[in-house]
Amino acid sequence: MLKIKNIDLSYEKEQVLRDFSIELKAGNIHGILGANGAGKTTLFQIVYGLLTPSKGEIIFPDKSFDTSQIGYLETEPQFYPYMKGVEYIDLLSHGNSIFDMDLWNEIFKLPLNKLIDTYSTGMKKKLALLGIISQDKPIMLLDEPFNGLDLETVENLNLILKELKKENKIIVLTSHILEVLKINCDKISFLNKGSVQKTFSKSGFQDINTYIKSDITQHSESVIQSIFS
């Protein structure tokens, strides 16, 4: 289990995360739902070690735990210039002798011998996903993994996540699209104003829409009605 306890982080005067706490179990997929700017990416950057919170701690039972055990997919992956897809995957899969690039690429269908600079946005996202999978880390942080993917790859990723879950990994997905999370997750936490407002288990997924509407859209509804009246 990965425990994130009482995290605070601010950018100048803006507090992005406020007393954020969550527990993430192995063999589970946990969804973080929130609007743009809710703090989802900031949370991942803290867990991965890119940002240091002003308060709080991250606890993992393995005493040797460090960020080398985490695979982190950014919302907009960055790549070295003049690198081919095959070189990128070779780099990330180093140390994973059982990873079969050719077999995996039957699913992702990428032109691995071409320069990444020639890839479309969707192809770059698929390459980044393949790279994260090739690392075989026990903890996977996937920030908006479905953004930019074609329909076939979306369905394939749904299947892949189910298999990765069976390998007892800790998998965390972020999205502002609820249906993506409902399909894949065991639990979904609603992040609003920098903290977890509520966490739903599968049996309560049908209540999320109503909760969100009552929590964050009341003011918007009144403004919209005023505009169109």
Side-chain angles (χ1 to χ4, degrees):
M1 179 181 290
L2 180 67
K3 296 182 180 181
I4 302 168
K5 299 182 65 177
N6 309 117
I7 294 291
D8 279 3
L9 187 134
S10 299
Y11 294 121
E12 297 181 352
K13 296 182 179 180
E14 180 184 0
Q15 187 159 9
V16 181
L17 293 177
R18 185 191 312 272
D19 201 33
F20 183 98
S21 297
I22 199 169
E23 294 185 355
L24 306 167
K25 294 182 179 180
N28 275 252
I29 300 177
H30 201 117
I32 307 292
L33 174 69
N36 291 335
K40 304 186 298 296
T41 297
T42 298
L43 171 66
F44 277 6
Q45 290 176 340
I46 289 172
V47 176
Y48 195 60
L50 298 176
L51 293 173
T52 302
S54 57
K55 189 190 81 171
E57 59 182 338
I58 297 170
I59 303 170
F60 192 66
D62 184 349
K63 293 181 179 180
S64 64
F65 171 74
D66 58 41
T67 56
S68 67
Q69 298 183 53
I70 301 175
Y72 174 34
L73 175 74
E74 297 178 277
T75 307
E76 298 181 0
Q78 303 296 314
F79 303 94
Y80 291 110
Y82 311 114
M83 177 178 276
K84 294 180 179 179
V86 64
E87 294 170 332
Y88 176 81
I89 299 301
D90 276 339
L91 179 65
L92 267 66
S93 64
H94 181 73
N96 183 6
S97 59
I98 64 172
F99 180 74
D100 189 329
M101 187 188 313
D102 292 334
L103 186 59
W104 272 99
N105 202 38
E106 289 186 20
I107 299 170
F108 286 91
K109 301 174 182 177
L110 290 165
L112 293 177
N113 288 314
K114 291 186 177 181
L115 291 174
I116 300 172
D117 284 349
T118 66
Y119 286 19
S120 67
T121 300
M123 290 164 64
K124 287 179 179 178
K125 192 62 170 280
K126 290 199 289 184
L127 181 67
L129 279 166
L130 184 56
I132 295 299
I133 292 167
S134 76
Q135 293 178 312
D136 195 29
K137 303 290 187 180
I139 301 171
M140 301 179 70
L141 309 177
L142 307 179
D143 198 356
E144 302 285 359
F146 291 90
N147 278 12
L149 298 181
D150 58 82
L151 181 59
E152 180 182 1
T153 307
V154 166
E155 294 302 324
N156 286 334
L157 182 55
N158 289 336
L159 295 174
I160 290 167
L161 287 171
K162 289 179 182 178
E163 295 302 317
L164 291 172
K165 175 181 167 180
K166 293 177 185 177
E167 296 184 357
N168 215 36
K169 296 183 183 297
I170 295 173
I171 303 173
V172 193
L173 308 180
T174 70
S175 183
H176 55 275
I177 302 173
L178 177 57
E179 294 308 314
V180 164
L181 299 180
K182 283 183 175 181
I183 291 170
N184 291 286
C185 297
D186 299 283
K187 291 187 176 182
I188 298 173
S189 292
F190 175 52
L191 177 60
N192 188 31
K193 298 179 181 178
S195 62
V196 174
Q197 300 288 299
K198 189 174 179 65
T199 295
F200 299 83
S201 60
K202 273 189 176 295
S203 61
F205 282 2
Q206 73 275 4
D207 300 324
I208 299 178
N209 293 81
T210 302
Y211 179 85
I212 293 174
K213 185 174 181 179
S214 64
D215 191 71
I216 65 174
T217 63
Q218 287 181 344
H219 175 68
S220 298
E221 284 183 337
S222 65
V223 173
I224 291 169
Q225 288 172 3
S226 298
I227 292 170
F228 285 96
S229 63

